[in-house]
Amino acid sequence: MARLLLFNKPFGVLSQFTDKGSPTTRATLSDFIAVKGVYPAGRLDRDSEGLLLLTDDGRLQARIADPRFKLPKTYLVQVEGDPDDAALEPLRKGVRLNDGMTLPAEAARIAPPDLWERDPPIRVRKSVPDCWLSLTIREGRNRQVRRMTAAVGLPTLRLVRWRVGDWSLGGIAPGTFVEIST
């Protein structure tokens, strides 16, 4: 039976177990996870938070991470701006990025979610409104969600991956993980 860990990756943590060659010490998965033989299935940028899946099963890892399988990934995204439904329509149709068109995303404005405090907190500008979006994509290009929201004039302030396929972050505190059966 494959091992599958659901980890709530804090802001500032690399999605790898080592950081050899870096001139400064940066937090890695090894600071939080002492389980041998598991590896990240996909990646989550250092400045993003939330659900990171780790497994010891190569086929499961490929099914989760490989864009061919188009596993949906849902993000809670705090953006600068006050978009109406029409402003989100380009995200729903696909956005042209420098590496081509994205697939259509599910995009909706949501109430501010009940999340943990981020350390450090996001920058707040009193003269610029912000809001939260739920954004579900089915591909995983480098910094894709941030590039998509920027392309439609809604720069990302905070990005939390909430769900990958059927697996969700619900109830997992930052810096902790749960192991589930597959």
Side-chain angles (χ1 to χ4, degrees):
M1 183 175 282
R3 295 184 90 172
L4 181 65
L5 309 182
L6 282 60
F7 175 56
N8 187 345
K9 187 190 89 58
F11 178 86
V13 175
L14 294 173
S15 294
Q16 57 196 44
F17 282 96
T18 62
D19 188 27
K20 292 182 179 164
S22 175
T24 59
T25 302
R26 299 184 294 181
T28 66
L29 297 177
S30 62
D31 296 317
F32 301 90
I33 300 170
V35 177
K36 299 291 183 200
V38 296
Y39 300 95
R43 62 190 182 280
L44 193 56
D45 296 327
R46 184 172 170 228
D47 55 353
S48 298
E49 310 163 68
L51 184 61
L52 182 66
L53 303 174
L54 297 98
T55 183
D56 62 354
D57 182 299
R59 289 197 320 208
L60 178 59
Q61 185 179 26
R63 188 172 60 91
I64 293 168
D66 194 318
R68 290 179 303 173
F69 296 105
K70 295 184 177 35
L71 201 60
K73 298 169 204 70
T74 300
Y75 297 84
L76 305 180
V77 190
Q78 187 175 14
V79 297
E80 272 188 1
D82 190 20
D84 58 14
D85 203 49
L88 301 179
E89 197 57 31
L91 296 170
R92 296 180 188 127
K93 291 182 175 179
V95 176
R96 179 162 305 282
L97 301 176
N98 61 357
D99 55 353
M101 286 294 290
T102 67
L103 293 175
E106 296 169 30
R109 192 167 170 160
I110 60 172
D114 184 21
L115 296 174
W116 54 91
E117 293 294 321
R118 195 185 89 169
D119 184 25
I122 64 157
R123 76 179 191 291
V124 175
R125 298 190 305 176
K126 292 182 181 181
S127 63
V128 179
D130 63 69
C131 74
W132 284 88
L133 306 176
S134 171
L135 193 64
T136 301
I137 63 173
R138 286 177 171 72
E139 51 191 340
R141 300 182 198 183
N142 186 41
R143 301 182 70 81
Q144 180 174 342
V145 170
R146 291 177 189 279
R147 293 189 300 141
M148 288 175 72
T149 61
V152 299
L154 301 167
T156 295
L157 299 171
R158 186 173 181 191
L159 182 62
V160 179
R161 182 161 55 199
W162 190 257
R163 178 178 295 280
V164 175
D166 293 331
W167 300 292
S168 172
L169 192 58
I172 305 171
T176 66
F177 66 89
V178 297
E179 185 167 353
I180 61 170
S181 306
T182 58

